[in-house]
């Protein structure tokens, strides 16, 4: 088992779907239908985002949607591209708003945390030199631990939370201008019509 997988430089996704709406909506899969076992229950956009996040930042991306031939209408590919771009822009705007809120909260809690740490360290200093095992020693150790805990919230907000939001934003920015392709099912899947398709994530490393 490999603990560290290499991030691919090229991502080629083939996403078989029954309806174009499954780009953004989770398909309703019947648990009692064994023929649907291999169908991915997530919206295609979520699968694309995860694939981009697993790849290198400058990785090339190609996404092909496989739809039953009877649901592919003229201009569907262009409409799908436009819808994907609109949805990505919408989510980018939401993430920008979240980033601003988290950044403001992180700075505010950091300032309060620094004041709290100064107060706590002053209290520890007031205790003076303590003997190991004494009540004063336990109190001093507890206060120092509290000081670190107080700073953990702003550190988590300003480092880890911001990183997650920025990672998602980078993925949507990459997908915003994606030249999405819509094609009939691949030869191996021909004849299935609008029935279930196997899960498809073709990635080249």
């Amino acid at each position: 088992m490999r603990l560290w997988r290499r991030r691919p430089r090229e991502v080629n996704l083939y996403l078989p779907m029954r309806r174009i709406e499954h780009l953004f909506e989770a398909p309703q899969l019947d648990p009692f239908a064994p023929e649907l076992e291999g169908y991915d229950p997530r919206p295609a956009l979520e699968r694309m985002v995860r694939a981009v996040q697993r790849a290198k930042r400058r990785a090339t991306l190609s996404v092909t949607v496989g739809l039953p031939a009877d649901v592919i209408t003229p201009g569907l590919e262009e409409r799908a591209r436009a819808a994907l771009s609109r949805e990505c822009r919408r989510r980018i705007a939401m993430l920008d708003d979240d980033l601003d809120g988290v950044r403001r909260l992180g700075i505010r809690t950091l300032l309060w945390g620094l004041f709290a740490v100064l107060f706590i360290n002053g209290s520890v200093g007031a205790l003076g030199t303590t003997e190991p095992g004494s009540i004063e020693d336990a109190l001093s150790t507890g206060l120092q631990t509290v000081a670190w805990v107080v700073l953990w919230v702003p550190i988590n907000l300003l480092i880890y939370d911001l990183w997650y939001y920025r990672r998602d934003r980078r993925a949507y920015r990459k997908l915003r201008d994606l030249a999405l392709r819509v094609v009939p099912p691949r030869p191996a899947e021909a004849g299935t019509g609008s029935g279930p398709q196997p899960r498809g994530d073709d990635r080249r490393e």
Side-chain angles (χ1 to χ4, degrees):
M1 179 179 177
R2 295 178 61 181
L3 297 178
W4 186 267
R5 297 184 59 182
R6 294 180 58 188
R7 303 175 69 186
R9 298 178 180 272
E10 182 181 359
V11 178
N12 294 324
L13 285 180
Y14 175 70
L15 305 175
M17 300 187 301
R18 292 179 293 170
R19 299 169 50 209
I20 194 62
E21 289 80 9
H22 292 165
L23 268 175
F24 313 108
E25 302 173 1
Q28 299 297 318
L29 303 180
D30 183 2
F32 292 97
E35 66 274 13
L36 297 179
E37 181 178 357
Y39 201 88
D40 199 303
R42 297 171 296 173
L45 180 56
E46 181 181 337
R47 297 162 64 186
M48 286 188 267
V49 169
R50 296 294 174 262
V52 171
Q53 291 173 344
R54 287 194 298 265
K56 290 183 176 296
R57 185 174 297 190
R58 297 184 181 275
T60 58
L61 175 65
S62 172
V63 179
T64 301
V65 170
L67 284 175
D70 56 348
V71 304
I72 299 179
T73 58
L76 178 63
E77 186 174 83
E78 289 73 17
R79 294 197 302 273
R81 289 179 181 178
L84 177 61
S85 181
R86 281 193 301 271
E87 183 63 21
C88 287
R89 290 197 301 269
R90 184 179 297 116
R91 299 195 183 195
I92 289 169
M94 294 171 59
L95 286 168
D96 285 339
D97 187 59
D98 290 338
L99 274 166
D100 183 64
V102 170
R103 190 180 297 110
R104 289 174 180 271
L105 180 60
I107 293 174
R108 189 181 303 120
T109 54
L110 178 62
L111 293 175
W112 281 108
L114 291 174
F115 282 126
V117 168
L118 290 175
F119 175 79
I120 292 171
N121 286 340
S123 301
V124 171
L127 293 175
T129 304
T130 59
E131 295 184 3
S134 65
I135 296 178
E136 291 80 5
D137 180 61
L139 183 58
S140 175
T141 302
L143 288 173
Q144 293 178 50
T145 303
V146 169
W148 284 108
V149 172
V150 166
L151 287 178
W152 173 248
V153 172
I155 290 173
N156 184 70
L157 287 169
L158 293 173
I159 297 179
Y160 298 105
D161 285 4
L162 287 182
W163 181 84
Y164 280 111
Y165 283 119
R166 286 169 177 159
R167 182 191 64 168
D168 290 347
R169 185 174 63 180
R170 281 196 302 269
Y172 287 118
R173 283 177 173 173
K174 195 174 188 69
L175 294 170
R176 178 181 53 193
D177 303 317
L178 176 70
L180 184 73
R181 296 179 60 239
V182 179
V183 301
R186 288 179 172 177
E189 300 159 5
T192 59
S194 58
Q197 306 289 349
R199 185 179 306 169
D201 280 10
D202 295 343
R203 295 186 291 273
R204 297 178 184 174
E205 300 191 11

